[in-house]
């Protein structure tokens, strides 16, 4: 036998004491490093938190100095977004600051060779800046908006909109110069489709000029055109730029009457406070002189000391009394100012909108939905040519040019029907709801308005969400719907879900909309179309009331009357002061009581409102609710003897009940202790949000 084979493998080396110490030292250093990083992170977060508190405190003092009405605003809601923008450090400008937004615009103008993909990516930031400026104009109290600020913000919005569209034109020209290199192998023409959350772009370049190729359909879509022979044989390109936003309709001006009214109220508040402060100052001076004379007439030191002590007590009492008087005056003026501001939200316009020409769209009656379709026939620019490894391209000084169709002069054309209307098929945006077949409107660049002439053969396929029509001339096109299609409402209900949380349900002919409200936020809870649940991208998203209202309108769910809506809808007119006071009372009690629509509200006169009421302390709806009818006239509340099923209307007072000045004092007679505790613990922001939503929907007049 041969020798035994040696065992393979190595014996595990034993760690020396020095290596063990080194490992322990490294672990200790790593632990200390992690602790140091955690400490630095905590200190940074703590410094940011303290800085936010400091800024809130400073801004709050500034608000107090501007007038009593500003006390109603929460400083965090107004100034925290500015602080968050500051600490983000993402390089985006603050749109409210003119130097920053002007610098951003100037630098972007210098970038001239951006592709369509780059422009679409940059458009997200631009649209965000535009939305911020629009929200500033909507959310800022009018007395804080000076004329120069309004001009600055609206000017920045228009400049950003124009520059964004110009960038799309420049990028389209760059793409069309390369059309020959991007041609399709089958058709020989170029086709390009780019889809984004805010923009959808379709470009088709006619490279072959085949007279038989008259039907243009973009791949994997139903969008397309039926072009006439003259276009099929021309050096043209077709572009459809579908922006999911509307930058064509002119900005609505800030109501001057609201500004003047609020400015008058603010000056009145300031003048009254200043007069009161002057009166208090004179009283203090007179008291000081009187005490000085008294102290000079006293000779003995002990008596003098006692009188000085008495005078200090009197001084503090005199100071406290004027301070209390000043506070009461400010609270009174604050109440009057808030009441005036809320009253303006439900004020009906006295005059109908100005007379509109034939075929012009009345934007007080109709709303543009689904964005704008920019339809353009473009002249095909010179194509780039490869030469010895280089690409040679001729760049026209005038840039991208539109092809005039039909031409201004048609002398050379023999047949009369050489320039027929062009058939267009468009896909309707999925996130927009049309309750009826949409109408098509085109933009009149000269008159600066939408109009419906020059459009024919409109057909709409609701299931496929396709709309087809014939267009005489190309340009911006949009879809419009009656703004008041869901008005008047059939019924409504306001039901508490929890403390500082309610559910508002509005039922119309076509839909049922449920809105949750908590603190200073609103959310779309659900939508039903024809008694079937409909999904929406807005569901589950909490927004501030103004942002929420704008989002619902853009989605086609407009349940918010304007000052001119009473000209287009038959309403149950109520006195604005009574209506406004009723909304404030309902909001105050909404944490513990459910309210609903009553058929008797139509029967009573315009100086009174009638609603259903019941105590509701659970989150789930009651199966067989025992509703109580109450009537409110602004300064008197009462429970009615009749119920919702009574045969005739009567204002008779329910037995063993009394008249009260407010709904709050009325419900105290029969409300449980738990219900009153929930009402007293309601958050002021929550009450204000509920009140704002009620004022915006005007349920008592439009149901």
């Amino acid at each position: 036998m041969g020798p035994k084979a040696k065992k393979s493998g190595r014996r595990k080396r034993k760690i020396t004491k020095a290596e063990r110490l080194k490992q322990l030292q490294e672990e200790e250093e790593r632990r200390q490093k992690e602790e140091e990083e955690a400490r630095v992170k905590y200190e940074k977060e703590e410094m940011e938190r303290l800085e936010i508190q400091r800024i809130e405190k400073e801004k709050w003092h500034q608000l107090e100095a501007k007038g009593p009405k500003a006390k109603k605003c929460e400083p965090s809601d107004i100034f925290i977004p500015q602080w968050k923008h500051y600490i983000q450090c993402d390089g985006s400008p603050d749109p409210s600051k003119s130097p920053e937004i002007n610098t951003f615009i100037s630098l972007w103008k210098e970038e001239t060779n951006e592709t369509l993909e780059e422009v679409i990516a940059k458009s997200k930031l631009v649209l965000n800046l535009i939305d911020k400026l629009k929200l500033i104009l909507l959310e800022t109290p009018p007395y804080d908006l000076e004329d120069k600020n309004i001009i600055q913000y609206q000017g920045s919005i228009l400049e950003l909109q124009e520059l964004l569209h110009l960038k799309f034109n420049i990028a389209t020209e760059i793409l069309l110069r390369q059309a020959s290199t991007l041609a399709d192998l089958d058709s020989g023409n170029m086709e390009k489709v780019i889809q984004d959350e805010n923009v959808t772009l379709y470009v088709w370049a006619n490279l072959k000029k085949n007279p038989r190729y008259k039907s243009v359909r973009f791949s994997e879509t139903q969008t397309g055109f039926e072009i006439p022979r003259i276009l099929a044989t021309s050096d043209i390109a077709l572009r459809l730029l579908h922006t999911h936003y509307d930058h064509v309709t002119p900005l609505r001006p800030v109501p001057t009457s609201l500004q003047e009214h609020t400015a008058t109220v603010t000056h009145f508040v300031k003048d009254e406070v200043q007069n009161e402060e002057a009166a208090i100052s004179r009283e203090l001076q007179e008291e000081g002189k009187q005490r000085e004379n008294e102290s000079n007439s006293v000779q003995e030191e002990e008596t003098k000391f006692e009188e000085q002590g008495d005078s200090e007590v009197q001084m503090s009492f005199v100071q406290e009394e004027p301070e209390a008087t000043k506070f009461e005056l400010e609270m009174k003026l604050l109440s009057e100012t808030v009441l005036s501001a809320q009253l303006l939200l439900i004020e009906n316009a006295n005059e109908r909108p100005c007379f509109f020409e034939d075929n012009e769209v009345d934007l007080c009656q109709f709303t543009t939905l689904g964005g704008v379709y920019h339809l353009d026939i473009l002249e095909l620019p010179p194509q780039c040519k490869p030469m010895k490894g280089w690409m040679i391209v001729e760049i026209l000084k005038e840039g991208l040019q539109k092809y005039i169709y039909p031409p201004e002069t048609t002398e050379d054309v023999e047949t009369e029907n050489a320039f027929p209307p062009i058939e267009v098929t468009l896909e309707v945006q999925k996130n927009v709801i049309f309750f009826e077949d949409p109408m098509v409107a085109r933009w009149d660049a000269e008159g600066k308005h939408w109009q419906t002439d020059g459009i024919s053969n409109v057909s709409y396929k609701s299931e496929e969400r396709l709309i087809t029509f014939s267009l005489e001339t190309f340009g911006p096109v949009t879809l419009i719907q009656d703004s008041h299609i869901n008005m008047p409402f059939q019924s409504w209900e306001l039901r508490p879900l929890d403390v500082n949380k309610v559910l508002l349900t509005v039922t119309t002919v076509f839909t049922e909309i449920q809105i949750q409200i908590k603190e200073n936020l609103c959310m779309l809870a659900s939508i039903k179309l024809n008694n079937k649940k409909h999904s929406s991208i807005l569901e589950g998203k909490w927004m501030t009331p103004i942002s929420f209202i704008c989002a619902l309108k853009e989605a086609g769910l407009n349940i918010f009357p304007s000052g001119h809506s009473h000209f287009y809808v038959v309403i149950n007119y109520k006195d604005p002061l009574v209506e406004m006071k009723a909304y404030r009372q309902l909001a105050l009690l909404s944490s513990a009581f459910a309210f609903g629509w009553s058929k008797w509200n139509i029967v009573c006169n315009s100086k009174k409102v009638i609603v259903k009421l019941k105590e509701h302390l659970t989150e789930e709806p009651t199966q067989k609710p025992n509703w109580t009818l109450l009537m409110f006239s602004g300064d008197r509340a009462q429970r009615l003897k009749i119920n919702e099923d009574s045969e005739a209307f009567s204002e008779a007072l329910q037995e063993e009940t009394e008249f009260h000045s407010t709904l709050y004092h009325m419900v105290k007679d029969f409300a449980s202790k738990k219900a009153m505790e929930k009402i007293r613990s309601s958050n002021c922001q929550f009450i204000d949000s509920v009140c704002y939503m009620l004022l915006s929907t005007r349920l008592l007049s439009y149901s």
Side-chain angles (χ1 to χ4, degrees):
M1 286 183 64
K4 291 183 179 180
K6 294 183 180 180
K7 292 183 179 180
S8 61
R10 297 180 181 178
R11 183 180 294 179
K12 190 174 180 182
R13 189 173 66 88
K14 190 175 181 180
I15 300 175
T16 63
K17 188 175 181 181
E19 289 175 340
R20 179 63 178 166
L21 289 173
K22 186 177 180 181
Q23 284 183 357
L24 292 174
Q25 186 177 0
E26 289 176 353
E27 289 177 1
E28 181 67 18
E29 289 176 354
R30 185 166 57 252
R31 185 185 62 78
Q32 291 179 357
K33 185 178 180 182
E34 290 175 355
E35 290 179 354
E36 180 67 17
E37 290 176 352
R39 185 186 63 80
V40 171
K41 183 180 179 182
Y42 172 77
E43 289 180 353
K44 183 180 179 182
E45 291 176 351
E46 186 68 15
M47 288 176 65
E48 289 179 356
R49 186 184 66 80
L50 294 174
E51 184 66 12
I52 290 175
Q53 290 181 352
R54 185 187 65 80
I55 289 179
E56 281 190 23
K57 192 173 181 180
E58 289 181 359
K59 296 296 185 180
W60 181 242
H61 289 318
Q62 293 176 12
L63 281 175
E64 284 184 324
K66 288 182 179 179
K69 184 180 178 180
K71 293 180 182 178
K72 191 172 180 293
C73 302
E74 286 289 333
S76 58
D77 294 340
I78 300 175
F79 300 105
I80 288 299
Q82 296 181 6
W83 170 247
K84 287 183 177 178
H85 176 271
Y86 175 75
I87 63 176
Q88 276 177 355
C89 296
D90 57 357
S92 63
D94 184 349
S96 63
K97 296 180 180 179
S98 182
E100 291 189 25
I101 197 69
N102 290 340
T103 302
F104 173 79
I105 292 172
S106 300
L107 292 175
W108 198 27
K109 284 181 179 179
E110 295 176 0
E111 300 175 13
T112 55
N113 294 319
E114 292 175 296
T115 63
L116 282 168
E117 290 80 3
E118 291 172 340
V119 173
I120 290 175
K122 191 70 169 282
S123 69
K124 295 178 182 179
L125 172 59
V126 176
L127 294 174
N128 185 32
L129 296 175
I130 292 173
D131 290 341
K132 284 182 178 179
L133 286 170
K134 288 182 178 179
L135 276 178
I136 290 174
L137 291 171
L138 288 172
E139 293 183 341
T140 306
Y143 57 83
D144 272 345
L145 272 180
E146 299 180 4
D147 290 338
K148 63 177 183 180
N149 291 335
I150 296 173
I151 294 172
Q152 173 196 327
Y153 298 154
Q154 291 185 338
S156 298
I157 291 173
L158 292 174
E159 199 168 354
L160 287 169
Q161 290 176 350
E162 293 172 1
L163 181 57
L164 180 59
H165 194 69
L166 175 64
K167 288 290 184 178
F168 275 115
N169 288 341
I170 295 173
T172 303
E173 182 184 4
I174 294 173
L175 174 67
L176 291 177
R177 288 184 202 146
Q178 307 168 5
S180 58
T181 63
L182 302 173
D184 182 66
L185 296 177
D186 296 331
S187 65
N189 298 318
M190 188 214 76
E191 177 186 307
K192 182 83 170 179
V193 179
I194 303 176
Q195 292 186 338
D196 186 71
E197 57 181 330
N198 299 314
V199 175
T200 305
L201 179 69
Y202 307 87
V203 181
W204 178 80
N206 189 16
L207 299 174
K208 283 294 184 181
K209 296 184 282 295
N210 187 346
R212 292 178 297 179
Y213 197 89
K214 297 181 180 180
S215 180
V216 179
R217 284 290 180 273
F218 292 94
S219 59
E220 299 181 2
T221 69
Q222 298 293 324
T223 302
F225 309 92
E226 295 293 332
I227 60 176
R229 179 185 178 88
I230 190 170
L231 292 180
T233 57
S234 302
D235 287 326
I236 61 150
L238 298 176
R239 182 184 70 172
L240 167 56
L241 175 61
H242 179 202
T243 59
H244 301 173
Y245 48 84
D246 181 4
H247 286 176
V248 177
T249 304
L251 298 173
R252 294 196 176 186
V254 177
T256 54
S257 59
L258 179 63
Q259 285 181 280
E260 293 171 359
H261 176 86
T262 315
T264 304
V265 173
T266 305
H267 288 310
F268 173 73
V269 171
K270 290 181 178 179
D271 291 343
E272 288 294 323
V273 173
Q274 288 176 358
N275 293 338
E276 184 65 23
E277 287 178 347
I280 292 170
S281 178
R282 286 195 298 271
E283 289 180 6
L284 290 175
Q285 289 178 0
E286 291 176 0
E287 290 292 334
K289 289 180 180 179
Q290 184 178 358
R291 284 191 299 273
E292 184 179 354
N293 294 334
E294 289 177 357
S295 61
N296 290 335
S297 62
V298 177
Q299 300 295 327
E300 295 182 1
E301 186 174 350
E302 183 179 353
T303 309
K304 184 177 180 180
F305 175 77
E306 292 176 357
E307 288 183 355
Q308 283 180 349
D310 293 340
S311 66
E312 288 177 2
V313 175
Q314 291 175 4
M315 169 74 101
S316 62
F317 176 75
V318 172
Q319 285 179 343
E320 287 176 3
E321 186 176 2
E323 285 295 330
T325 306
K326 178 183 174 183
F327 178 76
E328 290 176 2
L329 177 62
E330 287 185 349
M331 287 297 99
K332 181 181 178 182
L333 296 175
L334 171 62
S335 177
E336 293 175 356
T337 309
V338 172
L339 187 143
S340 300
Q342 291 179 341
L343 196 59
L344 286 171
L345 289 174
I346 59 174
E347 190 175 29
N348 292 327
N350 296 324
E351 297 181 1
R352 197 181 181 93
C354 58
F355 178 77
F356 294 91
E357 301 176 3
D358 293 340
N359 301 315
E360 182 180 348
V361 177
D362 180 3
L363 291 179
C364 291
Q365 182 180 4
F366 296 95
T367 304
T368 62
L369 288 178
V372 177
Y373 301 86
H374 297 265
L375 300 170
D376 296 298
I377 306 176
L378 306 171
E379 293 182 0
L380 201 60
Q383 297 298 294
C384 58
K385 299 177 182 178
M387 186 176 293
K388 296 180 180 180
W390 294 81
M391 296 297 290
I392 308 299
V393 61
E394 179 185 356
I395 299 177
L396 301 178
K397 186 177 181 180
E398 56 271 16
L400 193 64
Q401 295 296 306
K402 290 187 177 182
Y403 182 92
I404 307 300
Y405 180 90
E408 297 176 356
T409 58
T410 58
E411 297 176 358
D412 299 335
V413 181
E414 297 178 359
T415 59
E416 295 182 359
N417 201 26
F419 304 100
I422 301 173
E423 183 180 294
V424 182
T425 301
L426 302 176
E427 293 182 355
V428 178
Q429 191 176 343
K430 295 180 180 179
N431 300 327
V432 176
I433 298 175
F434 286 96
F435 297 98
E436 293 179 345
D437 290 354
M439 295 180 286
V440 184
R442 66 176 183 86
W443 179 249
D444 181 5
E446 294 182 1
K448 301 294 183 184
H449 57 250
W450 295 103
Q451 55 189 48
T452 55
D453 61 336
I455 302 168
S456 58
N457 304 325
V458 181
S459 65
Y460 178 62
K461 299 178 181 179
S462 57
E463 293 183 0
E464 300 175 11
R465 296 187 70 84
L466 292 176
I467 188 164
T468 303
F469 55 90
S470 297
L471 197 61
E472 293 180 2
T473 58
F474 268 28
V477 169
T478 190
L479 307 180
I480 58 176
Q481 179 174 255
D482 189 348
S483 303
H484 311 95
I485 196 168
N486 285 311
M487 303 176 200
F489 315 129
Q490 290 187 326
S491 65
W492 60 272
E493 182 179 307
L494 181 67
R495 175 167 57 88
L497 298 176
D498 200 353
V499 179
N500 299 324
K501 190 175 183 180
V502 297
L503 180 69
L504 174 63
T505 304
V506 180
T507 305
T508 72
V509 176
F510 297 100
T511 182
E512 179 187 279
I513 301 173
Q514 291 190 333
I515 302 169
Q516 285 189 20
I517 307 170
K518 70 172 184 179
E519 297 179 352
N520 62 333
L521 299 172
C522 302
M523 180 193 74
L524 180 64
S526 70
I527 311 172
K528 286 184 180 179
L529 300 180
N530 300 322
N531 295 323
K532 294 181 181 179
K533 195 176 186 314
H534 178 82
S535 60
S536 171
I537 61 170
L538 296 178
E539 290 184 40
K541 294 184 178 179
W542 290 99
M543 292 177 272
T544 58
I546 292 179
S547 300
F548 177 75
I549 290 172
C550 293
L552 280 190
K553 288 181 178 179
E554 291 174 359
L557 299 170
N558 187 6
I559 54 171
F560 308 99
S562 67
H564 295 95
S565 294
H566 62 284
F567 292 115
Y568 309 101
V569 183
V570 178
I571 67 170
N572 178 25
Y573 176 78
K574 297 296 178 182
D575 181 82
L577 184 60
V578 174
E579 186 179 3
M580 183 270 299
K581 287 184 176 180
Y583 293 143
R584 295 176 65 173
Q585 294 286 308
L586 297 185
L588 181 64
L589 304 175
S590 60
S591 286
F593 286 87
F595 300 91
W597 171 83
S598 171
K599 65 180 181 180
W600 302 120
N601 187 45
I602 305 173
V603 179
C604 65
N605 60 46
S606 61
K607 295 287 186 180
K608 298 174 182 177
V609 297
I610 297 177
V611 297
K612 296 187 299 185
L613 169 143
K614 66 181 177 68
E615 186 175 302
H616 192 95
L617 302 178
T618 61
E619 188 172 343
E620 297 298 326
T622 308
Q623 296 298 329
K624 294 182 179 180
N626 184 20
W627 292 101
T628 299
L629 289 182
L630 61 89
M631 185 168 67
F632 183 61
S633 62
D635 53 6
R636 190 171 76 168
Q638 68 180 85
R639 296 172 67 182
L640 296 179
K641 187 175 182 180
I642 60 172
N643 56 39
E644 197 67 13
D645 299 324
S646 300
E647 296 181 357
F649 175 69
S650 172
E651 294 186 5
L653 185 69
Q654 186 174 348
E655 298 175 356
E656 299 181 358
T657 62
E658 299 177 350
F659 292 106
H660 291 278
S661 59
T662 66
L663 298 181
Y664 174 79
H665 291 91
M666 187 195 72
V667 300
K668 285 178 69 177
D669 289 348
F670 59 89
S672 65
K673 185 178 180 181
K674 186 177 180 181
M676 297 309 298
E677 288 177 356
K678 291 184 72 173
I679 292 172
R680 294 189 188 99
S681 62
S682 297
N683 183 280
C684 60
Q685 281 186 321
F686 161 75
I687 295 173
D688 183 61
S689 296
V690 175
C691 183
Y692 188 85
M693 196 57 61
L694 294 175
L695 289 166
S696 300
T697 51
R698 299 193 62 184
L699 301 171
L700 297 174
S701 290
Y702 281 80
S703 297

